Amino acid sequence: MSATLAAHRLKRDVVMSERMTVLVTGGAGYIGSHMVLALLDAGHRPVIIDDFSTGHEKLVPSGVPLFRGNVGDSALVAEICDSHKIDAVAHFAASIVVPESVTDPLKYFVNNTVNTTRFIAACVDAGIKRFVFSSTAAVYGNQDVSPIHEGANTQPENPYGSSKLMSEMVLRDSAMATDLSYVILRYFNVAGADPQGRSGQLSQPATHLIKIAVEAAIGKRAAMQVYGTDYPTPDGTCIRDYIHVSDLIAAHMAALSYLQKGGASLLANCGYGHGASVRDVLDVVASVAGQPLDVTDAPRRPGDAAVLVADSTKLRSALGWAPRYDDLHQIVSDALAWERINSQCGR
């Protein structure tokens, strides 16, 4: 065998060894479906588990193994891990609506904490060693400083944030007692859609500001409301760090690569480090759509913090993450394009 051919085969074998089979929970949902696309684009093998409480089959690419079920079903998780030889997990499945968590906290503790605990236990039993967990900036609650770094006190203002924080603790303590390694990513406000138009938000009723605003912009809803105009912010409305879903998923891919190379467990914020108010967002949506929005003011919603902006230094330094879509106009444009696609072809 020539040296050139041997080198080529060695390079091929190295590339193949780097391919992973990744179990994506909630892979038929908004963020999880983008993860599935990124894994396919990178040559990995995604496997999906989704109970379709909020997921959509149209977001599942053809040929990707799909299991209908709950992550709390330990027998099902064991079957998937064994039959597909799972190398790593990206855990997105969760209930995520803050106001609903206030009115129905038990739903959130059961689905987000109890089922995640069962899922982690099943993964440990199956010998899974790499775990990327979708957490939230809601664990921080109201803070006196901005941007918020990972060392800030965790003081959730709502059951959603509490349920996620408890899951973080379960994952951390489980990893200390086993050979499981993890990356916990605390999301700030995720928005936008796949720039190629392959996936986006389909949630009904919509609960995210940009999703609601682009629906209003194309006439899917007659009007919309701004919840709270008396916050201690420059224009009185809440300020959030909006991160493009594709940049968020790039952080997950970087986390998987980091763990694959033997990186130690870590926790990192996912955001850009600057925020936009509700009124800022509505102005951008109106500008991109080329028409004004019908907006009325409403009282504050329970559980909403005034300002949530990320310090993402750790994500950039530890995982080498660099955003590509750090522009509110880009985020809104992609969200609006996705909404128009689905308005034309139906749901």
Side-chain angles (χ1 to χ4, degrees):
M1 181 186 300
S2 70
T4 301
L5 180 57
H8 173 76
R9 288 188 176 177
L10 176 60
K11 181 178 180 181
R12 182 197 63 190
D13 290 343
V14 169
V15 171
M16 291 301 291
S17 70
E18 292 176 349
R19 293 181 64 197
M20 289 185 286
T21 300
V22 181
L23 178 59
V24 182
T25 73
Y30 170 44
I31 302 175
S33 64
H34 284 82
M35 184 66 180
V36 170
L37 292 172
L39 289 166
L40 290 171
D41 290 345
H44 297 298
R45 297 175 291 262
V47 177
I48 296 171
I49 179 172
D50 199 300
D51 67 3
F52 286 89
S53 56
T54 57
H56 299 266
E57 195 159 359
K58 69 179 291 183
L59 297 181
V60 178
S62 176
V64 174
L66 169 64
F67 291 83
R68 293 176 179 268
N70 192 286
V71 296
D73 184 341
S74 300
L76 176 59
V77 174
E79 175 192 339
I80 296 169
C81 291
D82 180 61
S83 62
H84 286 273
K85 309 303 179 188
I86 300 298
D87 298 306
V89 166
H91 182 35
F92 298 93
S95 299
I96 63 169
V97 182
V98 169
E100 182 189 46
S101 79
V102 176
T103 59
D104 191 3
L106 288 177
K107 172 183 176 180
Y108 280 69
F109 288 114
V110 169
N111 196 36
N112 292 358
T113 308
V114 175
N115 286 337
T116 290
T117 299
R118 291 171 176 161
F119 179 63
I120 292 170
C123 289
V124 169
D125 287 345
I128 303 301
K129 295 181 172 57
R130 307 178 187 102
F131 197 113
V132 181
F133 179 59
S134 163
S135 192
T136 173
V139 302
Y140 293 118
N142 279 303
Q143 297 285 330
D144 295 329
V145 297
S146 185
I148 301 168
H149 62 83
E150 292 84 357
N153 290 332
T154 49
Q155 46 196 30
E157 296 283 320
N158 52 68
Y160 167 58
S162 296
S163 70
K164 283 291 195 173
L165 182 60
M166 292 173 71
S167 296
E168 287 187 11
M169 294 176 180
V170 172
L171 182 57
R172 180 199 65 199
D173 291 348
S174 298
M176 290 179 65
T178 67
D179 56 1
L180 181 70
S181 296
Y182 63 80
V183 173
I184 295 171
L185 297 176
R186 289 178 175 166
Y187 302 178
F188 281 63
N189 277 56
V190 188
D194 174 50
Q196 298 180 47
R198 297 173 296 176
S199 187
Q201 284 184 291
L202 289 175
S203 53
Q204 289 296 330
T207 58
H208 294 74
L209 174 62
I210 291 178
K211 164 75 169 170
I212 292 170
V214 297
E215 285 185 354
I218 66 170
K220 284 188 175 180
R221 59 175 66 223
M224 60 175 296
Q225 295 179 305
V226 173
Y227 294 101
T229 59
D230 59 345
Y231 287 95
T233 61
D235 66 15
T237 64
C238 291
I239 292 175
R240 296 290 183 266
D241 190 335
Y242 293 93
I243 179 173
H244 194 292
V245 64
S246 294
D247 279 336
L248 178 74
I249 292 304
H252 287 74
M253 296 299 290
L256 282 175
S257 177
Y258 168 86
L259 291 174
Q260 189 180 32
K261 295 173 183 176
S265 296
L266 65 82
L267 180 156
N269 290 332
C270 288
Y272 292 142
H274 54 82
S277 73
V278 172
R279 296 207 189 280
D280 290 335
V281 170
L282 298 182
D283 287 345
V284 172
V285 172
S287 174
V288 172
Q291 62 185 50
L293 304 178
D294 186 355
V295 179
T296 57
D297 294 342
R300 295 186 185 190
R301 299 180 304 184
D304 279 346
V307 179
L308 285 173
V309 175
D311 181 338
S312 58
T313 303
K314 191 174 182 181
L315 182 66
R316 298 168 192 261
S317 61
L319 300 185
W321 175 80
R324 296 179 58 194
Y325 304 101
D326 181 4
D327 180 81
L328 186 57
H329 285 80
Q330 174 78 52
I331 294 171
V332 168
S333 295
D334 288 341
L336 186 61
W338 171 257
E339 206 62 45
R340 284 173 170 157
I341 288 171
N342 285 279
S343 177
Q344 293 167 1
C345 67
R347 298 186 186 278

